[in-house]
């Protein structure tokens, strides 16, 4: 029996939350993206996993797709800003500004992004790019 894209995605998320290694989850989310290429949540997760696995260029490509599919998703923008930092790209300030604007639209997103950043720093404590983004979003 083949897994539905939804069940594959949900299982991947559960495995991530349970602390499974990032490198074993990347193929799961790549498959979801291959099978459902217009699912922004899958691209957002894949970009995040690539970032955690120090694969900046892959993260950049996945994050670009996520933002294109869902420009109003703050996590997609955060991931793209992180990938841009990791790969030395210019123009990431617009994504930080966009996230701050999105916080005004929906204040709950602020907590979601804070939790996401905390999760990232738990998994990768010395993540300089994430510390910078955290500072830009919450200390300015």
């Amino acid at each position: 029996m083949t897994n539905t894209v939804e069940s594959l995605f949900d299982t991947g998320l559960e495995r991530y939350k349970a602390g499974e290694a990032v490198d074993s989850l990347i193929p799961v989310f790549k498959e979801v993206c291959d099978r459902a290429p217009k699912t922004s949540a899958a691209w957002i997760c894949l970009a995040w996993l690539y970032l955690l696995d120090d694969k900046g260029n892959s993260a950049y490509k996945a994050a670009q797709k996520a933002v294109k599919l869902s420009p109003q998703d703050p996590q997609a923008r955060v991931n793209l800003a992180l990938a841009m930092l990791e790969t030395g790209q210019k123009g990431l300030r617009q994504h930080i500004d966009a996230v701050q604007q999105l916080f005004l639209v929906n204040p709950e997103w602020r907590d979601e992004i804070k939790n996401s950043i905390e999760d990232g720093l738990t998994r990768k404590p010395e993540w300089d790019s994430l510390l910078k983004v955290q500072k830009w979003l919450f200390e300015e």
Side-chain angles (χ1 to χ4, degrees):
M1 183 182 126
T2 50
N3 286 336
T4 65
V5 173
E6 293 83 12
S7 70
L8 195 61
F9 180 83
D10 291 344
T11 302
L13 268 185
E14 288 169 21
R15 289 166 57 190
Y16 176 83
K17 289 176 183 169
E20 189 168 322
V22 169
D23 58 347
S24 69
L25 293 171
I26 287 173
V28 174
F29 285 94
K30 274 174 78 172
E31 182 179 341
V32 173
C33 290
D34 288 345
R35 288 172 58 186
K38 294 201 181 317
T39 305
S40 63
W43 288 107
I44 291 167
C45 291
L46 184 60
W48 183 251
L49 292 171
Y50 280 140
L51 286 163
L52 285 168
D53 205 30
D54 296 320
K55 292 183 167 64
N57 289 325
S58 296
Y60 181 66
K61 289 176 190 156
Q64 279 185 307
K65 285 182 184 161
V67 169
K68 187 176 181 188
L69 290 168
S70 189
Q72 300 305 312
D73 189 306
Q75 187 65 55
R77 296 270 183 178
V78 166
N79 290 353
L80 184 54
L82 284 166
M84 291 173 87
L85 269 173
E86 301 274 322
T87 57
Q89 307 276 335
K90 303 230 178 298
L92 66 99
R93 187 78 220 179
Q94 70 180 15
H95 300 293
I96 297 297
D97 292 344
V99 171
Q100 290 174 323
Q101 292 298 312
L102 290 167
F103 287 167
L104 299 174
V105 173
N106 182 349
E108 290 176 13
W109 284 336
R110 186 180 181 87
D111 292 335
E112 288 176 20
I113 295 299
K114 272 190 173 173
N115 291 338
S116 170
I117 289 172
E118 286 170 18
D119 172 70
L121 291 173
T122 299
R123 292 170 188 266
K124 196 171 162 182
E126 302 298 318
W127 192 355
D128 289 338
S129 297
L130 188 58
L131 290 166
K132 282 180 186 168
V133 168
Q134 180 183 41
K135 184 171 186 255
W136 293 333
L137 287 175
F138 299 110
E139 294 175 21
E140 287 190 344

